[in-house]
């Protein structure tokens, strides 16, 4: 039975590193004992030195084999145990796995996706159900986010919430503020808990954030009264004389939309938990853009419309003192680098902020700085605009979608049988054909590449390899500039008779 790395919860790279480290340590320990053991065999048992050295060599060989076998057995046992736990206690297993990776957001994202596949819901933190670590909600296939994983909420604040909750669950927001020490769970911690969704059962996040100062003042006043033991001169009649503060929340001046709340989740939890922010824009992006994962190097030079969320912005200043930018754009299927030259960047300069959803018109580019085509897809921006969540919500589906452009033909190897050579693809533009019968001449091949790279241009270069009976035509990814002296250098390398332009 094969057990995946995700099931076991560790990577093969980590295992290899551990194996090598232990192997080196064992080898070093044995090396220290070699002379002692050989000398001891001679002195105490009268064994010939040559026989002791032979025995030691056998011992080293066995140690190498024995360690590998025990190593495999240990990992086999761990794989079996983790697979058993995942199969029979799936929610507890996944909660433990996420706890071990709470500071690795990439792993957490993978594990939360795995939970979805297993029918387990991962919920935002909650002051009544969350613990310090990820925990299973009793009787349900649900896991609550651990409160210590929330940024700005320290272990002390979480321990104070759990201490108060040990007496009984919080029945209301007032109950929480009365029983939890506001000096330990301070304003910053309260704000992060609200933004992360830990108080969603008591009210909308916008409402609670607007009244945050009021909540802190309410808690502080109640706790000061309790700590001072306030009473009136009649003692037992104090409850009738001293009025208990009441909590009246004021309407929020600003209502934060779902997109803004998802941004809070990413900032405080390290990932989007409630939903992916682009789910709000799914329809409009599907009908007006092509998925990023459908673009390949063969689309070089094609005009496309793409869209998604801005995840990173890097601005630079050119030698001419103008500003340009490199943007990371992500949709639900992949990501791509977007390049804005000074003119397009100046037209759209106020648009490029992280988490904004944008619609871009531009061209696919796969060339590097030297003009050579590669496999990395980039988008050169012609124009761009923002798509707001209001526009996405109001968008009326048409049922029409944007098709991914047809690809340009890439490198193609054409084989022939007998004396008839394969013909390269026909084109209206001239090509440079280089004949090489000896394909094992690495020096010539390297010189060819260097010459073409140093005189890069738009004219395609095709290598015709092999003898006349079995020719192969291979179009190279980089072109050459016909107006340069690169062609002269190529003729010197392969001979005038082996270079044709047509």
């Amino acid at each position: 039975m094969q057990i995946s790395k995700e099931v076991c919860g560790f990577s093969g790279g980590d295992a290899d590193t551990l194996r090598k480290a232990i192997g080196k340590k064992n080898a070093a320990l044995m090396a220290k004992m070699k002379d002692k053991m050989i000398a001891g065999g001679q002195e105490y048992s009268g064994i010939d030195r040559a026989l002791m050295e032979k025995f030691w060599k056998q011992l080293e060989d066995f140690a190498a084999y024995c360690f590998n076998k025990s190593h495999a057995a240990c990992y086999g046992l761990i794989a079996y145990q983790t697979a058993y736990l995942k199969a029979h206690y799936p929610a507890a297993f996944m909660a433990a796995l996420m706890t071990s990776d709470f500071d690795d957001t990439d792993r957490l994202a993978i594990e939360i996706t795995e939970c979805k596949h297993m029918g387990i819901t991962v919920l935002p933190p909650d002051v009544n159900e969350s613990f310090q670590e990820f925990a299973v909600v009793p009787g349900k296939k649900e896991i609550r986010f651990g409160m210590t994983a929330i940024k700005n909420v320290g272990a002390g604040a979480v321990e104070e919430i759990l201490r108060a909750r040990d007496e009984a669950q919080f029945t209301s927001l007032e109950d929480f503020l009365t029983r939890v020490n506001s000096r330990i769970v301070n304003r910053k911690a309260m704000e992060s808990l609200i933004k992360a969704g830990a108080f969603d059962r008591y009210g909308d996040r916008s409402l609670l954030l607007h009244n945050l100062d009021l909540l802190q003042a309410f808690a502080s006043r109640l706790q000061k009264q309790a700590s001072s033991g306030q009473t009136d001169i009649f003692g037992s009649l104090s409850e009738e004389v001293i009025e208990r503060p009441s909590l009246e929340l004021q309407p929020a001046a600003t209502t934060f939309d779902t997109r803004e709340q998802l941004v809070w989740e990413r900032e405080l939890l390290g990932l989007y938990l409630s939903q992916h922010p682009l789910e709000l824009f799914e329809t409009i992006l599907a009908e007006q853009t092509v998925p990023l994962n459908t673009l390949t190097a063969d689309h070089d030079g094609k005009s496309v419309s793409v869209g998604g969320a801005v995840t990173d912005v890097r601005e630079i200043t050119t030698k001419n003192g103008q500003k340009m930018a490199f943007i990371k754009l992500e949709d639900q299927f992949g990501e791509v680098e977007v390049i804005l030259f000074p003119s397009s960047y100046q037209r759209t300069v106020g648009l490029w902020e992280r988490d904004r959803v944008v619609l871009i018109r531009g061209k696919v580019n796969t060339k590097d700085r030297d003009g050579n085509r590669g496999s990395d897809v980039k988008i050169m921006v012609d124009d761009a605009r923002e798509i707001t969540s209001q526009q996405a919500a109001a968008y009326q589906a048409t049922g029409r979608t944007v098709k991914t452009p047809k690809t340009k033909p890439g490198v193609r190897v054409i084989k022939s049988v007998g004396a008839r050579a394969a013909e390269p693809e026909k084109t209206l533009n001239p090509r440079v054909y280089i004949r090489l019968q000896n394909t094992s001449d690495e020096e010539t091949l390297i010189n060819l590449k260097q010459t073409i790279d140093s005189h890069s241009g738009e004219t395609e270069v095709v290598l015709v390899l092999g003898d006349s009976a079995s020719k192969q035509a291979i179009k190279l990814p980089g072109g050459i500039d016909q107006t340069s002296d690169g062609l002269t250098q190529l003729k010197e390398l392969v001979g005038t008779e082996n270079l044709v332009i047509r």
Side-chain angles (χ1 to χ4, degrees):
M1 179 178 66
Q2 246 184 342
I3 308 297
S4 70
K5 295 173 185 175
E6 288 74 15
V7 169
C8 299
F10 52 78
S11 67
D14 295 336
D16 290 339
T17 303
L18 179 63
R19 176 181 58 78
K20 290 175 182 177
I22 295 175
K24 288 181 179 178
K25 186 175 181 181
N26 287 347
L29 288 172
M30 288 191 67
K32 290 180 180 179
M33 297 299 297
K34 180 178 179 180
D35 293 337
K36 292 181 180 180
M37 185 165 181
I38 291 175
Q42 291 177 286
E43 182 178 352
Y44 296 106
S45 302
I47 303 174
D48 183 67
R49 182 175 181 84
L51 183 59
M52 282 300 299
E53 287 181 345
K54 181 180 180 181
F55 171 71
W56 182 263
K57 179 65 171 60
Q58 293 173 341
L59 190 62
E60 285 181 326
D61 292 341
F62 176 74
Y65 163 78
C66 184
F67 170 74
N68 290 337
K69 187 174 183 180
S70 63
H71 181 78
C74 290
Y75 271 87
L77 179 61
I78 292 171
Y80 174 82
Q81 289 171 335
T82 51
Y84 178 88
L85 291 172
K86 185 176 181 181
H88 294 278
Y89 306 95
F93 174 82
M94 294 306 297
L97 191 59
M98 288 190 286
T99 295
S100 68
D101 292 326
F102 81 96
D103 57 348
D104 186 341
T105 53
D106 292 336
R107 288 291 308 170
L108 276 181
I110 294 171
E111 287 153 7
I112 289 173
T113 301
E114 178 68 6
C115 284
K116 291 179 181 178
H117 295 158
M118 297 167 66
I120 301 170
T121 305
V122 180
L123 300 171
D126 181 273
V127 292
N128 257 344
E129 291 188 345
S130 292
F131 291 86
Q132 287 188 338
E133 301 172 342
F134 289 82
V136 179
V137 179
K140 299 180 181 179
K141 292 188 70 175
E142 296 175 346
I143 296 174
R144 279 288 181 185
F145 221 86
M147 285 189 285
T148 50
I150 307 172
K151 189 177 179 181
N152 302 322
V153 180
V158 177
E159 288 172 1
E160 171 61 14
I161 293 172
L162 296 179
R163 180 204 61 76
R165 201 177 75 196
D166 281 343
E167 303 169 7
Q169 286 204 333
F170 306 113
T171 57
S172 64
L173 185 58
E174 291 92 333
D175 185 34
F176 177 91
L177 297 171
T178 302
R179 293 161 52 195
V180 174
N181 192 325
S182 60
R183 287 176 296 179
I184 299 176
V185 184
N186 56 27
R187 189 185 191 282
K188 189 67 177 177
M190 282 288 293
E191 181 181 4
S192 296
L193 286 165
I194 292 170
K195 285 185 173 181
F199 285 97
D200 282 357
R201 66 169 62 221
Y202 301 126
D204 180 72
R205 298 182 200 183
S206 300
L207 177 67
L208 297 178
L209 285 173
H210 178 74
N211 289 275
L212 185 55
D213 290 331
L214 179 63
L215 299 179
Q216 287 294 108
F218 177 83
S220 179
R221 183 180 174 187
L222 279 178
Q223 290 165 27
K224 281 181 180 179
Q225 287 182 359
S227 62
S228 63
Q230 280 190 358
T231 183
D232 70 333
I233 60 173
F234 297 104
S236 62
L237 299 178
S238 61
E239 292 183 3
E240 299 176 7
V241 176
I242 300 174
E243 184 180 355
R244 181 184 176 88
S246 61
L247 182 62
E248 295 182 5
L249 302 181
Q250 303 300 315
T254 303
T255 301
F256 299 101
D257 59 17
T258 303
R259 176 173 166 268
E260 186 68 29
Q261 294 183 26
L262 290 172
V263 171
W264 293 340
E265 288 184 3
R266 195 205 62 217
E267 290 175 351
L268 297 170
L269 304 177
L271 41 77
Y272 301 113
L273 189 59
S274 301
Q275 64 182 74
H276 194 284
L278 291 181
E279 287 183 21
L280 302 169
F281 302 82
E282 187 173 7
T283 303
I284 189 170
L285 289 177
E287 295 194 354
Q288 297 195 15
T289 68
V290 297
L292 295 180
N293 66 340
T294 63
L295 299 177
T296 67
D298 291 333
H299 290 104
D300 185 55
K302 293 288 187 180
S303 296
V304 292
S305 292
V306 296
V310 176
T311 59
D312 187 56
V313 180
R314 183 166 62 92
E315 183 186 273
I316 66 170
T317 303
T318 66
K319 293 179 180 179
N320 298 328
Q322 297 177 303
K323 290 184 178 181
M324 62 178 293
F326 298 88
I327 311 296
K328 284 290 184 184
L329 186 76
E330 180 183 283
D331 67 6
Q332 289 181 283
F333 308 100
E335 65 175 21
V336 73
E337 184 179 50
V338 173
I339 300 176
L340 292 114
F341 288 111
S343 57
S344 56
Y345 186 49
Q346 188 175 4
R347 290 196 305 270
T348 59
V349 68
L351 182 62
W352 308 105
E353 292 182 4
R354 185 166 180 169
D355 297 312
R356 280 195 174 180
V357 179
V358 295
L359 187 67
I360 295 172
R361 288 190 298 105
K363 290 184 175 64
V364 177
N365 184 285
T366 62
K367 294 184 176 65
D368 59 20
R369 292 181 179 179
D370 300 322
N372 301 317
R373 280 185 60 183
S375 58
D376 292 336
V377 174
K378 300 175 284 291
I379 305 294
M380 304 298 183
V381 178
D382 295 327
D383 191 22
R385 66 179 177 87
E386 181 182 8
I387 310 174
T388 66
S389 54
Q390 291 80 9
Q391 290 172 333
Y395 182 79
Q396 298 293 321
T398 63
R400 298 190 298 271
T401 58
V402 177
K403 293 183 179 179
T404 303
K406 293 183 179 179
T407 61
K408 288 183 176 181
V411 176
R412 190 174 69 167
V413 178
I414 309 173
K415 297 183 179 179
S416 65
V417 179
R420 184 180 176 184
E423 294 294 332
E425 294 176 272
K426 293 183 179 180
T427 178
L428 297 176
N429 299 318
R431 284 177 172 173
V432 176
Y433 293 89
I434 300 174
R435 184 79 167 87
L436 281 181
Q437 291 192 24
N438 183 9
T439 58
S440 62
D441 188 352
E442 293 183 3
E443 183 178 352
T444 300
L445 290 170
I446 292 172
N447 289 333
L448 279 174
K449 182 181 185 306
Q450 291 175 344
T451 302
I452 294 169
D453 289 348
S454 59
H455 299 86
S456 61
E458 297 299 323
T459 303
E460 294 179 345
V461 180
V462 177
L463 290 182
V464 182
L465 307 176
D467 55 29
S468 300
S470 57
K471 292 180 183 177
Q472 292 182 352
I474 302 178
K475 187 177 75 174
L476 301 183
I480 194 167
D481 182 4
Q482 282 195 78
T483 61
S484 68
D485 63 346
L487 293 180
T488 303
Q489 294 181 27
L490 289 178
K491 289 178 182 178
E492 292 174 357
L493 283 171
V494 301
T496 304
E497 69 277 10
N498 289 321
L499 190 147
V500 178
I501 302 174
R502 66 183 181 198

